Amino acid sequence: MARPSTMSKVHAAVLDVIAERGPSGLSMEGIAARAGVGKQTLYRTWPTPSAILFDAMLARSRDQEAPHPVTPAPDSGDRVDEVDDVHSELVRLVMDTVAEMFTEPNASVLRALAAAIQTDPEVGMEYRTRLLEPQLRQLSGRVASLGVSDPDSVTELLMAPVFYRWFTRGPEPDEEESRRWVRAALAAIV
């Protein structure tokens, strides 16, 4: 297992490499060179470049001081009871997610991770259990705090169009589209 200081250098290196070169440029050699460590150092801790990328994303999601942290669900701290206020809070939540997924270098990093998930079942399982499910629980908890009766369903309905647009490289959703998605998600559970 690499030392914490080495892990930090490797995490920064893999995120830099993926942002500059995209998924096809991700290699143990490139990561090692960027981090200033030997390939053996990498192989002692991670089996593949995808595993390094995933580990770096997990570390970044825990480190809100990082240059591009994973955005937590917005939370004003107040319980919202009015329908218009719930709608506005959910629109803000969707727009924060859009900003995270469509802005570089996050978009490239997430695309590389998505490619790794499709080809490596272990990376897929790790992604689901260690990153996606906790984030969805957090979002669902925020939706629940707004007084929504079926927060898990609303969370999935809210995030599905964002992921679809991102996955198909469609245009970045704007605020008006987000408003329509929120209205549709809320209407679907009433």
Side-chain angles (χ1 to χ4, degrees):
M1 180 66 93
R3 285 178 281 183
S5 62
T6 301
M7 290 178 82
S8 293
K9 288 194 303 190
V10 170
H11 290 163
V14 73
L15 294 173
D16 287 346
V17 169
I18 198 73
E20 289 175 9
R21 300 182 194 155
S24 61
L26 199 58
S27 67
M28 290 300 232
E29 293 81 10
I31 297 166
R34 177 62 64 96
V37 300
K39 285 193 312 184
Q40 282 308 108
T41 299
L42 299 182
Y43 281 114
R44 279 193 297 269
T45 305
W46 300 279
T48 64
S50 296
I52 299 172
L53 175 61
F54 178 71
D55 199 38
M57 289 194 65
L58 283 173
R60 187 181 67 175
S61 72
R62 291 186 295 265
D63 180 10
Q64 292 302 308
E65 299 300 316
H68 302 285
V70 174
T71 305
D75 187 348
S76 62
D78 299 324
R79 180 164 171 79
V80 180
D81 294 316
E82 297 297 320
V83 171
D84 288 342
D85 290 340
V86 170
H87 185 268
S88 294
E89 285 284 306
L90 293 178
V91 168
R92 190 165 62 114
L93 184 149
V94 171
M95 292 305 297
D96 285 351
T97 303
V98 166
E100 165 129 5
M101 291 181 70
F102 284 79
T103 303
E104 292 298 342
N106 291 344
S108 293
V109 171
L110 291 169
R111 287 189 196 292
L113 185 57
I117 288 167
Q118 297 306 308
T119 58
D120 187 333
E122 283 185 38
V123 172
M125 181 59 73
E126 287 291 307
Y127 169 74
R128 175 171 283 298
T129 58
R130 293 177 63 196
L131 189 64
L132 181 62
E133 288 173 354
Q135 286 180 330
L136 288 176
R137 278 193 303 273
Q138 179 190 25
L139 291 171
S140 183
R142 182 64 189 123
V143 171
S145 76
L146 298 173
V148 173
S149 63
D150 187 358
D152 292 340
S153 294
V154 170
T155 299
E156 285 194 22
L157 289 169
L158 289 174
M159 295 299 109
V162 176
F163 277 92
Y164 171 77
R165 283 283 183 88
W166 174 83
F167 186 74
T168 61
R169 292 187 180 253
E172 182 175 334
D174 61 20
E175 188 170 340
E176 182 52 39
E177 288 171 309
S178 297
R179 289 186 182 288
R180 284 196 314 266
W181 294 342
V182 167
R183 280 192 299 271
L186 291 173
I189 63 152
V190 175

